[in-house]
Amino acid sequence: MNFIPEASFFDAQPMFVCEQASLKILDANAAAVQVLGFSKKKFLKKRILDFGIKKSFNELDSDPKRNNHLSLDNIWLFKTEAGKDIYFQLSAHMINYKGRPAKLVVAHNVTEIIEGKTSQKKLLSSQLNLNNFPLAEIEWDPSLKIIRWSEKAEELFGYSEEEAISTDRLLQKFIHEDDLDYVHQTLEKTYKEGKEEVSLIHRNITKDGTVIYCEWYNSFLYDNNGDVVSIYSLTHDVTEREEALLSTRRSVRSYQDLFNSISDAIYLLNKEGYIVEVNEGLESTFGYRRREVIGKHNKILAAPGKYDEERIQEIIRLAHNGKPGKYEGWGRKKNGEIFPTEFLVNTGNYFGEEVLIVIERDISERRESEEALKHREGLFSKLFNSSPIGIALLNEHREVEMVNDGFEQLFGYREDELKGLDLDKLIVLEQDHEEAIRLSESERVKQATEKRIRKDGTILDVIIYAVPVVVEKSVVGIYGIYVDITDRRKAEEQVRKSLREKEMMLAEIHHRVKNNLAVITGLLELQSYSAESESAKRILKDSQMRVNSIAMVHEKLYQSEDFSEVDINQYFEELSGIIHKTMQQSDLEVDIELNIKPVKLPITQAIPCGLLLNEILSNSFKHAFTDSKKGNIKICLSQPEDKLLLIIQDDGIGLPENSEMDITKSMGMTLIKTLAKQLNASFSFRNEGGAVFEFKFEKKEQAADIEKPVEV
């Protein structure tokens, strides 16, 4: 349309008043009727978009260089009543029409530009080119359905205008699920409060799934009843800015976490000495909360009468001169408690302001530890010097650092005579030097019994404890502890000499007892030769074997290095052999099988065991195999639990079928019962493929049997 100077813009451009959401035409100006040829009545109640078709610039046969000022994707082809093609670009503006929101749509005729018949300068008007407008424009109806979607919105979120308008509940799709409630609540709050504008920042999801941060500026349009009729939004991508802010927040949070994780009190002071920031450690140290000390002078943390202004100023001056220092002082807690502190002072910068950084800690426990350490050092010094044993402290070169009074008395040297000298060269015998060096170079506590030389040349027997002093896995010194055992050695030698004499005497006693028993055995044997009765000969022979079993015990003790206990395994083996040899008959072959646990018994138990073995074996040889030419006897000594179990059994004819009372009253059984009683053993007998005898008893300790005689 050519520009006519006399023509008014409002008279020349087709304009339509449309419903805000549906774009149904409510009114049209004269230019619209004139240019398109339709009557106003025909326009009403129809959508403006019903009169035209949207065209992209690529669909038009036009020179892009000539039309580079046009918005490429906002061209509409309208048909006039007469069928003529007219190209328009539409622009919309929110207005209030008869008390309700509406849109004023201006149709800019660009036909002559598209067809190349005129230039932009001759146009009465054209749409403002907003291709470089940085914000995406989106318009929503009251149900949050999209009714307008700009090119920038398509570029930002990836959805075309058609997709955005036709997709149901797009809001739920392109707002991050974690932010959706926040957006709904913010919009609802804005509506309830009747506000017209609200801005917010949240995460959006583009069509391809990318998460971006967007800043939204939302304008609410209300009708006369106060109901929302539309929401107009402008938005843009602020992802880089938000990520930078998040990174900054994380850094600040990390700094704050680090600041608060330090258990010591940290507080920042301005030039006047007022507190501008504190960490959480201040509350645990002083008891004050942050709000109670911010803006207060640091004197609030100092003990009354302990705040030295001149000293504080000197500390500040040194800190400003690049000489941060560590100092000790006294603090006061919120509850009034006074306590010793240690504080470090340095300079720093806090949001552009030069500050003093003070780190202060409660050293009450350290002071107590130091006092306790001094007390322990005093006790150790007292113990060191008053100890009756000799103690010498050597350095890593084996040179004397200090000795106690006990060492001086033991070896005759004063401490000033020994300091700095190699102790081994003074008190160690020449032939023992290598062993002394190994002892003093040990990294572990070692004990040795050696000889050492006094200052006057006297040789001492001493127990030496080498105790290394290890600091950070390195030996920095060694304590030599010397215990004089010279007198004890002499006493031990006397005891050993006396013991050797007693051992010789005891061996001689056992030897003589054994010889005396041998004489008795010989006498019994001679007596048996002169006896006329077979019964008497048998009794004498049995007595001879019993005495022989006792004599064998004394023989074993005499031959043993231990005069108190007898090796039962060896004793039973030899005793059973002698009985077998003595009782063997020419027409009877008897095997004796031994299964003896290695054990030693005291003489008070060895003799009864030997007599039991002698009695039962003799009876087996005499009575068990009368109807057989071959027999077997088993002897077993075991320890199934805490007691010894002795079992002697044969495979002969078994015990007589007399009543148990008759059996127990026999001479042999009476002897067996007596011996079992001496052993304090439980005793039982039975027939089980032959005669079986069982004895269960505890092994006695030697000391318990010293004064108990053996009854036979």
Side-chain angles (χ1 to χ4, degrees):
M1 177 179 290
N2 292 330
F3 178 75
I4 302 172
E6 295 79 9
S8 165
F9 170 80
F10 298 101
D11 294 332
Q13 296 292 334
M15 297 185 186
F16 304 90
V17 177
C18 303
E19 287 185 354
Q20 193 269 341
S22 65
L23 294 181
K24 287 183 179 180
I25 300 172
L26 302 175
D27 199 357
N29 70 347
V33 173
Q34 179 183 352
V35 172
L36 293 173
F38 296 104
S39 66
K40 181 183 288 190
K41 184 177 181 180
K42 196 166 185 177
F43 281 125
L44 299 182
K45 300 301 180 181
K46 289 188 177 181
R47 297 171 70 247
I48 190 171
L49 302 182
D50 295 337
F51 292 91
I53 301 172
K54 188 176 182 180
K55 295 284 187 177
S56 69
F57 195 80
N58 294 330
E59 297 179 81
L60 304 175
D61 185 16
S62 179
D63 184 0
K65 292 182 180 179
R66 186 177 68 245
N67 301 314
N68 59 7
H69 54 275
L70 292 176
S71 178
L72 300 184
D73 291 320
N74 285 325
I75 299 173
W76 292 78
L77 173 61
F78 278 63
K79 290 279 188 182
T80 66
E81 177 73 14
K84 180 181 177 182
D85 291 341
I86 300 179
Y87 293 96
F88 290 107
Q89 283 192 321
L90 304 179
S91 62
H93 310 274
M94 301 295 295
I95 63 172
N96 190 297
Y97 178 74
K98 297 182 179 180
R100 61 176 177 168
K103 284 186 179 178
L104 175 65
V105 179
V106 180
H108 306 272
N109 192 340
V110 293
T111 304
E112 294 182 357
I113 295 177
I114 295 296
E115 294 176 350
K117 297 178 181 179
T118 186
S119 66
Q120 175 74 5
K121 292 181 180 179
K122 295 181 180 180
L123 285 177
L124 176 65
S125 71
S126 68
Q127 184 187 32
L128 180 65
N129 190 346
L130 296 177
N131 284 339
N132 294 322
F133 188 57
L135 303 181
E137 297 176 87
I138 302 173
E139 196 170 340
W140 318 78
D141 68 10
S143 63
L144 295 179
K145 180 177 174 60
I146 296 172
I147 55 178
R148 182 183 175 198
W149 186 265
S150 70
E151 291 180 14
K152 275 293 181 182
E154 181 176 340
E155 180 183 325
L156 181 60
F157 298 110
Y159 295 96
S160 67
E161 182 180 17
E162 182 180 353
E163 289 174 322
I165 293 174
S166 62
T167 301
D168 188 34
R169 303 181 69 82
L170 181 64
L171 183 72
Q172 277 76 6
K173 291 184 178 180
F174 84 101
I175 294 181
H176 195 282
E177 60 179 357
D178 293 340
D179 295 345
L180 197 57
D181 287 343
Y182 161 68
V183 172
H184 278 299
Q185 290 169 7
T186 303
L187 295 178
E188 186 176 352
K189 181 181 178 182
T190 304
Y191 165 67
K192 285 182 178 180
E193 294 177 355
K195 293 181 179 179
E196 295 184 354
E197 295 179 351
V198 65
S199 61
L200 62 163
I201 299 172
H202 57 79
R203 288 167 291 180
N204 290 89
I205 302 174
T206 64
K207 185 178 180 180
D208 64 6
T210 304
V211 178
I212 60 175
Y213 283 88
C214 291
E215 186 171 22
W216 292 76
Y217 307 95
N218 303 291
S219 296
F220 285 69
L221 187 63
Y222 299 89
D223 60 17
N224 291 339
N225 297 323
D227 295 325
V228 175
V229 293
S230 69
I231 302 173
Y232 178 70
S233 302
L234 297 174
T235 185
H236 63 117
D237 186 351
V238 293
T239 303
E240 290 185 5
R241 187 189 76 187
E242 287 301 308
E243 288 179 348
L245 284 172
L246 285 173
S247 177
T248 302
R249 290 192 193 105
R250 282 194 292 267
S251 298
V252 171
R253 192 179 300 114
S254 297
Y255 158 76
Q256 196 69 35
D257 290 343
L258 176 62
F259 188 57
N260 288 320
S261 68
I262 299 173
S263 58
D264 296 336
I266 304 178
Y267 51 96
L268 311 183
L269 305 177
N270 62 17
K271 293 180 180 180
E272 290 75 32
Y274 289 92
I275 299 171
V276 296
E277 186 58 274
V278 301
N279 73 336
E280 292 178 359
L282 185 130
E283 182 176 351
S284 60
T285 303
F286 289 93
Y288 290 101
R289 293 186 178 181
R290 180 179 180 276
R291 65 173 181 272
E292 294 176 313
V293 295
I294 295 296
K296 301 289 181 64
H297 197 275
N298 69 89
K299 288 181 181 180
I300 191 176
L301 305 176
K306 303 286 187 180
Y307 188 84
D308 188 339
E309 185 68 38
E310 293 183 2
R311 181 178 181 232
I312 296 298
Q313 292 303 320
E314 177 63 17
I315 291 171
I316 294 173
R317 186 186 65 78
L318 291 172
H320 283 301
N321 290 337
K323 297 179 181 179
K326 182 188 292 186
Y327 310 92
E328 290 190 0
W330 293 87
R332 180 181 62 181
K333 296 185 179 182
K334 182 180 178 181
N335 62 9
E337 178 186 342
I338 306 299
F339 63 100
T341 67
E342 178 183 80
F343 57 95
L344 292 83
V345 182
N346 206 343
T347 56
N349 191 284
Y350 182 69
F351 293 106
E353 180 182 4
E354 187 175 348
V355 294
L356 283 177
I357 304 171
V358 183
I359 303 175
E360 192 163 5
R361 67 176 55 173
D362 184 347
I363 59 171
S364 300
E365 290 185 2
R366 193 180 79 187
R367 284 280 180 89
E368 291 174 2
S369 298
E370 289 172 352
E371 291 298 324
L373 180 61
K374 288 179 182 178
H375 180 65
R376 287 196 296 271
E377 286 176 350
L379 291 176
F380 173 76
S381 177
K382 188 174 181 179
L383 175 64
F384 181 82
N385 288 310
S386 62
S387 175
I389 60 177
I391 305 175
L393 175 61
L394 313 180
N395 61 23
E396 65 269 28
H397 306 297
R398 302 193 304 279
E399 297 168 342
V400 177
E401 292 283 336
M402 59 189 295
V403 298
N404 72 337
D405 296 341
F407 187 93
E408 292 181 350
Q409 294 173 12
L410 181 59
F411 289 98
Y413 290 98
R414 297 191 311 275
E415 185 178 76
D416 56 0
E417 294 179 281
L418 296 171
K419 261 195 172 180
L421 300 180
D422 187 337
L423 185 61
D424 291 346
K425 291 182 179 180
L426 296 175
I427 65 172
V428 178
L429 296 172
E430 186 175 350
Q431 66 270 23
D432 295 334
H433 266 286
E434 290 186 6
E435 179 61 30
I437 291 173
R438 283 195 294 272
L439 189 64
S440 59
E441 290 180 347
S442 172
E443 294 184 358
R444 295 183 178 180
V445 177
K446 274 196 172 183
Q447 175 186 343
T449 303
E450 301 287 346
K451 293 186 181 295
R452 292 293 183 262
I453 311 171
R454 275 179 55 86
K455 183 178 180 181
D456 60 11
T458 305
I459 304 297
L460 300 175
D461 288 301
V462 291
I463 297 176
I464 305 171
Y465 298 93
V467 183
V469 180
V470 181
V471 177
E472 295 181 353
K473 298 183 179 180
S474 298
V475 178
V476 297
I478 187 167
Y479 279 103
I481 302 173
Y482 299 84
V483 181
D484 184 4
I485 59 169
T486 306
D487 293 338
R488 192 177 81 184
R489 275 288 179 89
K490 291 177 181 178
E492 287 175 353
E493 186 59 36
Q494 289 178 353
V495 170
R496 278 194 290 270
K497 182 179 178 182
S498 176
L499 183 59
R500 284 194 296 270
E501 292 174 353
K502 287 180 172 58
E503 286 175 348
M504 291 176 63
M505 185 182 300
L506 190 57
E508 184 62 24
I509 290 171
H510 283 300
H511 183 60
R512 291 189 181 187
V513 170
K514 178 259 218 188
N515 288 342
N516 290 337
L517 291 172
V519 170
I520 294 172
T521 304
L523 290 174
L524 291 172
E525 187 174 4
L526 289 174
Q527 188 67 38
S528 68
Y529 291 150
S530 61
E532 296 179 358
S533 169
E534 286 298 322
S535 175
K537 286 183 179 182
R538 187 173 60 253
I539 291 171
L540 289 171
K541 187 175 182 180
D542 289 345
S543 298
Q544 182 184 356
M545 291 181 66
R546 289 165 184 160
V547 173
N548 194 48
S549 67
I550 298 173
M552 188 176 288
V553 172
H554 288 280
E555 183 180 10
K556 291 298 175 189
L557 290 173
Y558 168 69
Q559 293 172 350
S560 172
E561 294 181 356
D562 184 357
F563 295 113
S564 60
E565 292 187 321
V566 176
D567 184 344
I568 292 299
N569 193 1
Q570 185 182 17
Y571 176 46
F572 274 19
E573 185 177 348
E574 292 185 14
L575 182 59
S576 61
I578 292 172
I579 296 171
H580 185 277
K581 185 177 180 181
T582 304
M583 301 296 295
Q584 182 68 44
Q585 301 172 21
S586 58
D587 59 345
L588 177 63
E589 182 182 348
V590 178
D591 290 331
I592 300 177
E593 182 182 339
L594 288 96
N595 184 11
I596 308 299
K597 173 182 173 64
V599 65
K600 289 186 176 183
L601 293 178
I603 187 172
T604 54
Q605 288 186 302
I607 290 176
C609 283
L611 291 172
L612 281 171
L613 184 63
N614 175 79
E615 194 67 28
I616 296 172
L617 284 182
S618 298
N619 284 334
S620 293
F621 273 98
K622 290 176 185 178
H623 308 294
F625 309 111
T626 55
D627 297 333
S628 176
K629 292 185 178 182
K630 190 172 183 180
N632 187 58
I633 301 173
K634 292 182 179 179
I635 306 168
C636 177
L637 180 65
S638 61
Q639 190 171 6
E641 295 177 354
D642 57 343
K643 290 186 177 183
L644 294 171
L645 177 62
L646 174 61
I647 302 175
I648 305 171
Q649 66 182 86
D650 60 47
D651 59 355
I653 62 174
L655 296 169
E657 295 183 358
N658 302 346
S659 67
E660 186 174 334
M661 184 173 293
D662 292 337
I663 294 174
T664 56
K665 286 182 178 180
S666 66
M667 175 64 182
M669 194 61 72
T670 301
L671 181 57
I672 290 172
K673 287 171 61 180
T674 302
L675 293 170
K677 186 177 180 181
Q678 288 183 21
L679 284 172
N680 198 23
S682 60
F683 161 53
S684 65
F685 60 89
R686 65 184 181 275
N687 284 325
E688 189 179 302
V692 180
F693 295 86
E694 287 189 4
F695 306 88
K696 185 179 286 188
F697 59 96
E698 293 182 359
K699 179 186 174 183
K700 294 181 181 179
E701 298 299 327
Q702 299 176 36
D705 302 313
I706 291 176
E707 297 181 356
K708 291 183 179 180
V710 177
E711 299 176 3
V712 294

